[in-house]
Amino acid sequence: MNDISKNNLFYDLYDVVFAGKDYAGEVEAALRLGTSSSVSPQRILEVGCGTGNHTVQLLARGLSVTAVDIDEEMAARCRRKVAANFSASECVVLTSAIEDMSLAPFDLCLALFNVINYVPTREGLRQFFSAVRRLVRPQHRLVFDAWNGTAALNDPPQRKTRRVTVDDAEYTVDLSPATDIAAKRTRLVYEIVRHVAGQETARVSHSFDHTLWTPQEISADLASAGLTLSATYPGTDFSRQATAADWKLTFVAET
């Protein structure tokens, strides 16, 4: 059995593991929610672009995109994905924290797939929202999703296992969450095992933390940054406002 470096297999399989995610539908909805006037946003700031699955959906709609991620390997994979399908003039991919950015102004900021749950402190969350306020045009929008910390603390995420086949290999992806209620944090531990012809050929673990922000904390920190929370929806159900029991939330805020 060959060991693989800590991250490579996780990054290699990232798109496969999350292949069931409706990136196109999420982008379509986010753009609809992010339109604050009769003119649709054209210059998009995408925070936490990952490997670029939302990015290419934005570019496919003819939008100008600046995509950022603090993870160099994620950003590199996004760059390659973009370069394979679009011209360099359509998209800039940066390895950066949003707080360090100076490019402005943007018509809309998107932070999809639980980006703010990676922020570890309240001060960091306030700085994140303040950076959005600085980078997005007045009376324009921020659209982001997140775990509902209230619901996640009451009903913590449970272990899940899935199997994925790629070419001649079968992968078992085991997700083991560990929630620290006092710290309001869930550690997500992925263990990935590769089998070829029934034989285990590689095994790797990859972990990261999700901070369980409550809707009240998010609302307060948006306000402290000068942003106005205009709507909170349960996931992708935009027919009603979210409740405390809804596990996944989508927020719309205005600058």
Side-chain angles (χ1 to χ4, degrees), residues 12-83:
D12 288 344
L13 280 183
Y14 184 90
D15 288 349
V16 176
V17 170
F18 297 109
K21 190 170 174 62
D22 184 10
Y23 292 99
E26 290 177 7
V27 164
E28 193 67 36
L31 291 175
R32 187 168 65 252
L33 294 173
T35 300
S36 55
S37 65
S38 59
V39 180
S40 298
Q42 294 298 311
R43 191 161 187 244
I44 312 298
L45 171 61
E46 183 196 2
V47 183
C49 62
T51 63
N53 293 312
H54 288 117
T55 313
V56 296
Q57 292 295 330
L58 290 165
L59 291 168
R61 288 160 175 77
L63 301 170
S64 172
V65 181
T66 296
V68 299
D69 204 293
I70 61 173
D71 187 315
E72 174 60 45
E73 183 60 28
M74 286 289 192
R77 288 169 187 258
C78 181
R79 289 187 193 99
R80 292 197 291 270
K81 193 174 293 182
V82 167

Coordinates of all heavy atoms in Angstrom, one line a residue, residues 12-83:
D12 N -7.8 15.7 -5.2 CA -8.1 15.0 -6.4 C -9.5 14.5 -6.5 O -10.1 14.5 -7.6 CB -7.2 13.8 -6.6 CG -5.7 14.2 -6.9 OD1 -5.5 15.3 -7.2 OD2 -4.8 13.3 -6.7
L13 N -10.1 14.1 -5.4 CA -11.4 13.5 -5.4 C -12.5 14.6 -5.0 O -13.7 14.2 -4.9 CB -11.5 12.4 -4.4 CG -10.9 11.0 -4.9 CD1 -11.2 10.0 -3.8 CD2 -11.6 10.6 -6.2
Y14 N -12.1 15.8 -4.7 CA -13.1 16.8 -4.2 C -14.3 16.9 -5.2 O -15.4 16.8 -4.7 CB -12.4 18.1 -4.1 CG -13.2 19.2 -3.5 CD1 -13.3 19.5 -2.2 CD2 -14.0 20.0 -4.4 CE1 -14.1 20.4 -1.6 CE2 -14.8 21.0 -3.8 CZ -14.9 21.2 -2.5 OH -15.7 22.2 -2.0
D15 N -14.0 17.0 -6.5 CA -15.1 17.2 -7.4 C -16.0 15.9 -7.5 O -17.2 16.0 -7.8 CB -14.6 17.6 -8.8 CG -14.1 19.0 -8.8 OD1 -14.3 19.7 -7.9 OD2 -13.4 19.3 -9.8
V16 N -15.4 14.8 -7.3 CA -16.1 13.5 -7.4 C -17.0 13.4 -6.1 O -18.1 13.0 -6.2 CB -15.1 12.3 -7.5 CG1 -15.9 11.0 -7.5 CG2 -14.4 12.5 -8.8
V17 N -16.4 13.6 -5.0 CA -17.1 13.5 -3.7 C -18.3 14.4 -3.7 O -19.4 14.0 -3.2 CB -16.2 13.8 -2.5 CG1 -17.0 13.9 -1.2 CG2 -15.1 12.8 -2.4
F18 N -18.2 15.6 -4.3 CA -19.3 16.5 -4.3 C -20.0 16.7 -5.6 O -20.6 17.7 -5.9 CB -18.8 17.9 -3.8 CG -18.3 17.9 -2.4 CD1 -17.0 18.0 -2.1 CD2 -19.2 17.7 -1.3 CE1 -16.5 18.0 -0.8 CE2 -18.7 17.7 0.0 CZ -17.4 17.8 0.2
A19 N -19.9 15.6 -6.4 CA -20.5 15.7 -7.8 C -22.0 15.8 -7.7 O -22.6 16.3 -8.7 CB -20.1 14.4 -8.5
G20 N -22.7 15.4 -6.7 CA -24.1 15.5 -6.6 C -24.6 16.9 -6.2 O -25.8 17.1 -6.3
K21 N -23.7 17.8 -6.0 CA -24.1 19.2 -5.6 C -24.5 19.9 -6.8 O -23.9 19.9 -7.9 CB -22.9 19.9 -4.9 CG -23.2 21.2 -4.3 CD -22.0 21.7 -3.5 CE -22.2 23.1 -2.9 NZ -23.4 23.1 -2.0
D22 N -25.6 20.6 -6.7 CA -26.2 21.3 -7.9 C -25.6 22.7 -8.0 O -26.2 23.7 -7.7 CB -27.8 21.5 -7.7 CG -28.4 22.1 -8.9 OD1 -27.8 22.3 -9.9 OD2 -29.6 22.4 -8.7
Y23 N -24.4 22.8 -8.5 CA -23.7 24.0 -8.6 C -24.4 25.0 -9.6 O -24.5 26.2 -9.3 CB -22.3 23.8 -9.2 CG -21.4 23.1 -8.2 CD1 -21.1 21.7 -8.3 CD2 -20.7 23.8 -7.1 CE1 -20.3 21.1 -7.4 CE2 -19.9 23.1 -6.2 CZ -19.7 21.8 -6.4 OH -18.9 21.1 -5.5
A24 N -24.9 24.5 -10.7 CA -25.6 25.4 -11.6 C -26.9 26.0 -11.0 O -27.1 27.2 -11.1 CB -26.0 24.6 -12.9
G25 N -27.6 25.1 -10.3 CA -28.8 25.6 -9.7 C -28.5 26.7 -8.6 O -29.3 27.7 -8.4
E26 N -27.5 26.4 -7.8 CA -27.1 27.3 -6.8 C -26.7 28.7 -7.3 O -27.0 29.7 -6.8 CB -26.0 26.7 -5.9 CG -26.4 25.6 -5.1 CD -25.3 24.9 -4.3 OE1 -24.2 25.5 -4.3 OE2 -25.5 23.9 -3.7
V27 N -25.9 28.7 -8.4 CA -25.5 29.9 -9.0 C -26.7 30.7 -9.6 O -26.8 31.9 -9.4 CB -24.4 29.7 -10.1 CG1 -24.3 30.9 -11.1 CG2 -23.1 29.3 -9.5
E28 N -27.6 30.0 -10.2 CA -28.8 30.6 -10.8 C -29.6 31.3 -9.7 O -30.0 32.4 -9.8 CB -29.6 29.5 -11.5 CG -30.7 30.1 -12.4 CD -30.2 30.9 -13.6 OE1 -29.2 30.4 -14.2 OE2 -30.8 31.9 -13.9
A29 N -29.8 30.6 -8.6 CA -30.5 31.1 -7.4 C -29.8 32.3 -6.8 O -30.4 33.3 -6.5 CB -30.8 30.0 -6.4
A30 N -28.5 32.2 -6.6 CA -27.7 33.2 -6.0 C -27.7 34.5 -6.8 O -27.8 35.6 -6.3 CB -26.3 32.8 -5.8
L31 N -27.7 34.4 -8.2 CA -27.7 35.6 -9.0 C -29.1 36.2 -8.9 O -29.2 37.4 -9.0 CB -27.4 35.2 -10.5 CG -25.9 34.8 -10.7 CD1 -25.8 34.3 -12.1 CD2 -25.0 35.9 -10.4
R32 N -30.1 35.4 -8.9 CA -31.5 35.9 -8.7 C -31.6 36.7 -7.4 O -32.1 37.8 -7.3 CB -32.5 34.8 -8.8 CG -34.0 35.3 -8.8 CD -34.9 34.2 -9.2 NE -34.9 33.1 -8.2 CZ -34.4 31.9 -8.4 NH1 -33.8 31.6 -9.5 NH2 -34.5 31.0 -7.4
L33 N -31.1 36.1 -6.3 CA -31.2 36.7 -5.0 C -30.3 38.0 -5.0 O -30.5 38.9 -4.2 CB -30.8 35.8 -3.9 CG -31.7 34.6 -3.7 CD1 -31.0 33.6 -2.7 CD2 -33.1 35.0 -3.2
G34 N -29.2 37.9 -5.8 CA -28.2 39.0 -5.7 C -28.5 40.2 -6.6 O -27.8 41.2 -6.6
T35 N -29.6 40.2 -7.3 CA -30.0 41.3 -8.1 C -30.8 42.3 -7.3 O -31.9 42.0 -6.9 CB -30.9 40.8 -9.3 OG1 -30.1 39.9 -10.1 CG2 -31.3 42.0 -10.2
S36 N -30.2 43.5 -7.1 CA -30.8 44.5 -6.2 C -31.6 45.6 -6.9 O -32.1 46.4 -6.3 CB -29.7 45.1 -5.3 OG -28.7 45.6 -6.1
S37 N -31.5 45.5 -8.3 CA -32.2 46.5 -9.1 C -32.6 45.8 -10.4 O -32.5 44.6 -10.5 CB -31.3 47.7 -9.3 OG -30.2 47.3 -10.1
S38 N -33.1 46.6 -11.3 CA -33.5 46.0 -12.6 C -32.3 45.6 -13.4 O -32.5 44.9 -14.4 CB -34.4 47.1 -13.3 OG -33.6 48.2 -13.6
V39 N -31.1 46.1 -13.1 CA -29.9 45.7 -13.8 C -29.2 44.6 -13.1 O -28.9 44.6 -11.9 CB -29.0 46.9 -13.9 CG1 -27.7 46.6 -14.6 CG2 -29.6 48.1 -14.5
S40 N -29.0 43.5 -13.8 CA -28.4 42.3 -13.2 C -26.9 42.6 -13.0 O -26.2 43.3 -13.7 CB -28.5 41.1 -14.2 OG -29.9 40.8 -14.4
P41 N -26.3 42.0 -11.9 CA -24.9 42.2 -11.6 C -24.0 41.6 -12.6 O -24.3 40.5 -13.1 CB -24.8 41.5 -10.2 CG -25.9 40.6 -10.1 CD -27.0 41.2 -10.9
Q42 N -23.0 42.3 -13.0 CA -22.0 41.8 -14.0 C -20.6 41.5 -13.5 O -20.0 40.6 -14.0 CB -21.9 42.8 -15.2 CG -23.2 43.0 -15.9 CD -23.7 41.8 -16.6 OE1 -22.9 41.1 -17.3 NE2 -24.9 41.4 -16.4
R43 N -20.2 42.2 -12.5 CA -18.9 42.0 -11.9 C -19.0 41.3 -10.6 O -19.5 41.9 -9.6 CB -18.2 43.4 -11.8 CG -16.7 43.2 -11.5 CD -15.9 44.5 -11.8 NE -14.5 44.2 -11.7 CZ -13.7 44.8 -10.8 NH1 -14.2 45.7 -10.0 NH2 -12.4 44.6 -10.7
I44 N -18.6 40.1 -10.5 CA -18.9 39.2 -9.4 C -17.6 39.0 -8.6 O -16.5 38.6 -9.2 CB -19.5 37.9 -9.8 CG1 -20.6 38.1 -10.8 CG2 -19.9 37.1 -8.6 CD1 -21.8 38.8 -10.3
L45 N -17.7 39.1 -7.3 CA -16.6 38.6 -6.4 C -17.1 37.3 -5.8 O -18.1 37.3 -5.1 CB -16.3 39.7 -5.3 CG -15.4 39.3 -4.2 CD1 -14.0 38.9 -4.7 CD2 -15.3 40.4 -3.1
E46 N -16.3 36.3 -6.0 CA -16.7 34.9 -5.5 C -15.6 34.6 -4.4 O -14.4 34.4 -4.7 CB -16.7 33.9 -6.5 CG -17.1 32.5 -6.0 CD -16.7 31.4 -6.9 OE1 -16.1 31.6 -8.0 OE2 -17.1 30.2 -6.6
V47 N -16.1 34.5 -3.2 CA -15.1 34.2 -2.0 C -15.2 32.7 -1.7 O -16.3 32.2 -1.5 CB -15.5 35.1 -0.8 CG1 -14.5 34.8 0.3 CG2 -15.5 36.6 -1.2
G48 N -14.1 32.1 -1.6 CA -14.0 30.7 -1.3 C -14.4 29.9 -2.5 O -15.3 29.0 -2.5
C49 N -13.7 30.1 -3.6 CA -14.0 29.5 -4.9 C -13.8 28.0 -4.9 O -14.3 27.3 -5.8 CB -13.3 30.2 -6.0 SG -11.5 30.1 -5.9
G50 N -12.9 27.5 -4.0 CA -12.6 26.0 -4.1 C -12.0 25.7 -5.4 O -11.2 26.4 -6.0
T51 N -12.4 24.5 -6.0 CA -11.9 24.1 -7.2 C -12.5 24.7 -8.4 O -12.2 24.4 -9.6 CB -12.0 22.5 -7.4 OG1 -13.4 22.2 -7.4 CG2 -11.3 21.8 -6.2
G52 N -13.5 25.6 -8.2 CA -14.0 26.4 -9.3 C -15.3 25.9 -9.9 O -15.7 26.4 -11.0
N53 N -16.1 25.1 -9.2 CA -17.3 24.6 -9.8 C -18.4 25.7 -9.9 O -19.2 25.7 -10.8 CB -17.8 23.4 -8.9 CG -16.9 22.2 -9.1 OD1 -16.5 21.9 -10.2 ND2 -16.5 21.7 -8.0
H54 N -18.5 26.6 -8.9 CA -19.4 27.7 -9.0 C -18.8 28.7 -10.0 O -19.5 29.4 -10.7 CB -19.6 28.4 -7.6 CG -20.5 27.6 -6.7 ND1 -20.0 27.2 -5.5 CD2 -21.8 27.2 -6.8 CE1 -21.0 26.5 -4.8 NE2 -22.0 26.6 -5.6
T55 N -17.5 28.9 -10.0 CA -16.8 29.8 -10.9 C -17.2 29.6 -12.3 O -17.5 30.6 -13.1 CB -15.3 29.7 -10.7 OG1 -15.0 29.7 -9.3 CG2 -14.6 30.9 -11.3
V56 N -17.0 28.4 -12.8 CA -17.3 28.1 -14.2 C -18.8 28.3 -14.6 O -19.1 28.7 -15.7 CB -16.8 26.7 -14.6 CG1 -15.3 26.6 -14.5 CG2 -17.5 25.6 -13.8
Q57 N -19.7 28.1 -13.6 CA -21.1 28.4 -13.8 C -21.3 29.9 -14.0 O -22.1 30.3 -14.8 CB -21.9 27.8 -12.7 CG -21.9 26.3 -12.6 CD -22.6 25.6 -13.8 OE1 -23.5 26.2 -14.4 NE2 -22.2 24.4 -14.1
L58 N -20.6 30.7 -13.2 CA -20.8 32.1 -13.3 C -20.2 32.6 -14.7 O -20.8 33.4 -15.4 CB -20.0 32.8 -12.2 CG -20.6 32.7 -10.8 CD1 -19.6 33.1 -9.7 CD2 -21.9 33.5 -10.7
L59 N -19.1 32.0 -15.1 CA -18.4 32.4 -16.3 C -19.3 32.0 -17.5 O -19.4 32.7 -18.5 CB -17.0 31.8 -16.4 CG -16.0 32.4 -15.5 CD1 -14.8 31.6 -15.4 CD2 -15.7 33.9 -15.9
A60 N -19.9 30.8 -17.4 CA -20.8 30.3 -18.5 C -22.0 31.3 -18.8 O -22.6 31.3 -19.8 CB -21.3 29.0 -18.2
R61 N -22.3 32.1 -17.8 CA -23.4 33.1 -17.9 C -22.9 34.5 -18.4 O -23.6 35.5 -18.4 CB -24.1 33.2 -16.6 CG -25.0 32.0 -16.3 CD -25.3 31.9 -14.9 NE -26.3 30.8 -14.6 CZ -25.9 29.5 -14.6 NH1 -24.6 29.2 -14.8 NH2 -26.8 28.5 -14.3
G62 N -21.6 34.5 -18.8 CA -21.0 35.7 -19.4 C -20.7 36.8 -18.4 O -20.5 38.0 -18.8
L63 N -20.4 36.4 -17.2 CA -20.1 37.4 -16.1 C -18.6 37.5 -15.9 O -17.9 36.6 -16.2 CB -20.8 36.9 -14.8 CG -22.3 36.8 -14.8 CD1 -22.8 36.1 -13.6 CD2 -23.0 38.1 -15.0
S64 N -18.2 38.7 -15.4 CA -16.8 38.9 -15.1 C -16.6 38.5 -13.6 O -17.4 39.0 -12.8 CB -16.5 40.4 -15.3 OG -15.2 40.7 -14.7
V65 N -15.7 37.6 -13.4 CA -15.5 37.0 -12.1 C -14.1 37.2 -11.5 O -13.1 36.9 -12.2 CB -15.8 35.5 -12.1 CG1 -15.7 34.8 -10.7 CG2 -17.2 35.2 -12.7
T66 N -14.1 37.6 -10.3 CA -12.8 37.6 -9.5 C -13.1 36.5 -8.4 O -13.9 36.7 -7.5 CB -12.5 38.9 -8.9 OG1 -12.2 39.9 -9.9 CG2 -11.2 38.8 -8.0
A67 N -12.3 35.4 -8.5 CA -12.5 34.3 -7.6 C -11.4 34.2 -6.6 O -10.2 34.3 -7.1 CB -12.7 33.0 -8.3
V68 N -11.6 34.1 -5.3 CA -10.5 34.0 -4.4 C -10.7 32.8 -3.4 O -11.8 32.4 -3.1 CB -10.5 35.3 -3.5 CG1 -10.2 36.5 -4.4 CG2 -11.8 35.5 -2.7
D69 N -9.6 32.3 -3.0 CA -9.6 31.3 -2.0 C -8.3 31.3 -1.2 O -7.2 31.6 -1.8 CB -9.7 29.9 -2.6 CG -10.3 28.8 -1.7 OD1 -9.6 28.5 -0.7 OD2 -11.4 28.4 -1.9
I70 N -8.3 31.1 0.1 CA -7.1 31.2 0.9 C -6.2 29.9 0.7 O -5.1 29.9 1.1 CB -7.4 31.5 2.4 CG1 -8.2 30.3 3.0 CG2 -8.0 32.8 2.5 CD1 -8.4 30.5 4.5
D71 N -6.8 28.9 0.2 CA -6.1 27.6 0.0 C -5.5 27.6 -1.4 O -6.1 27.6 -2.4 CB -7.1 26.5 0.1 CG -6.5 25.1 0.1 OD1 -5.6 24.8 -0.7 OD2 -6.9 24.2 0.9
E72 N -4.1 27.6 -1.4 CA -3.4 27.7 -2.6 C -3.7 26.5 -3.6 O -3.8 26.7 -4.8 CB -1.9 27.7 -2.4 CG -1.0 27.7 -3.6 CD -1.2 28.8 -4.6 OE1 -1.3 30.0 -4.1 OE2 -1.4 28.6 -5.8
E73 N -3.8 25.3 -3.1 CA -4.1 24.2 -3.9 C -5.5 24.3 -4.6 O -5.7 24.0 -5.7 CB -4.0 22.9 -3.2 CG -4.2 21.6 -4.0 CD -3.2 21.5 -5.2 OE1 -2.1 22.0 -5.0 OE2 -3.5 20.9 -6.2
M74 N -6.5 24.7 -3.8 CA -7.8 24.9 -4.3 C -7.8 26.0 -5.4 O -8.4 25.8 -6.5 CB -8.8 25.4 -3.2 CG -9.2 24.3 -2.3 SD -10.3 23.0 -3.1 CE -10.9 22.1 -1.6
A75 N -7.1 27.1 -5.1 CA -7.1 28.2 -6.1 C -6.4 27.7 -7.4 O -6.8 28.1 -8.5 CB -6.4 29.4 -5.5
A76 N -5.3 26.9 -7.3 CA -4.6 26.4 -8.4 C -5.5 25.6 -9.3 O -5.5 25.6 -10.5 CB -3.3 25.7 -8.0
R77 N -6.3 24.7 -8.7 CA -7.2 23.9 -9.4 C -8.3 24.7 -10.1 O -8.7 24.4 -11.2 CB -7.8 22.8 -8.5 CG -6.7 21.7 -8.2 CD -7.1 20.8 -7.1 NE -5.9 19.9 -6.7 CZ -5.8 18.7 -7.1 NH1 -6.7 18.1 -7.9 NH2 -4.7 18.0 -6.8
C78 N -8.7 25.7 -9.4 CA -9.7 26.6 -10.0 C -9.1 27.3 -11.3 O -9.8 27.4 -12.3 CB -10.2 27.6 -9.0 SG -11.4 28.8 -9.6
R79 N -7.9 27.7 -11.1 CA -7.2 28.4 -12.3 C -7.2 27.4 -13.5 O -7.4 27.8 -14.6 CB -5.8 28.8 -11.9 CG -5.8 30.0 -11.0 CD -4.3 30.5 -10.8 NE -4.3 31.4 -9.7 CZ -3.9 31.1 -8.4 NH1 -3.5 29.8 -8.2 NH2 -3.9 31.9 -7.5
R80 N -6.8 26.2 -13.2 CA -6.7 25.2 -14.3 C -8.0 25.0 -15.0 O -8.2 24.8 -16.2 CB -6.0 24.0 -13.8 CG -4.6 24.1 -13.4 CD -3.9 22.8 -13.4 NE -4.3 22.0 -12.2 CZ -3.8 22.0 -11.0 NH1 -2.8 22.8 -10.8 NH2 -4.3 21.2 -10.1
K81 N -9.1 24.9 -14.1 CA -10.4 24.6 -14.6 C -10.9 25.7 -15.5 O -11.5 25.6 -16.6 CB -11.4 24.3 -13.5 CG -12.7 23.7 -13.9 CD -13.5 23.4 -12.7 CE -12.9 22.2 -11.9 NZ -13.7 21.8 -10.7
V82 N -10.7 27.0 -15.0 CA -11.1 28.1 -15.8 C -10.3 28.2 -17.1 O -10.9 28.5 -18.1 CB -10.9 29.4 -14.9 CG1 -11.0 30.7 -15.7 CG2 -11.9 29.4 -13.7
A83 N -9.0 28.1 -17.0 CA -8.1 28.2 -18.2 C -8.5 27.2 -19.3 O -8.4 27.5 -20.5 CB -6.7 28.0 -17.8

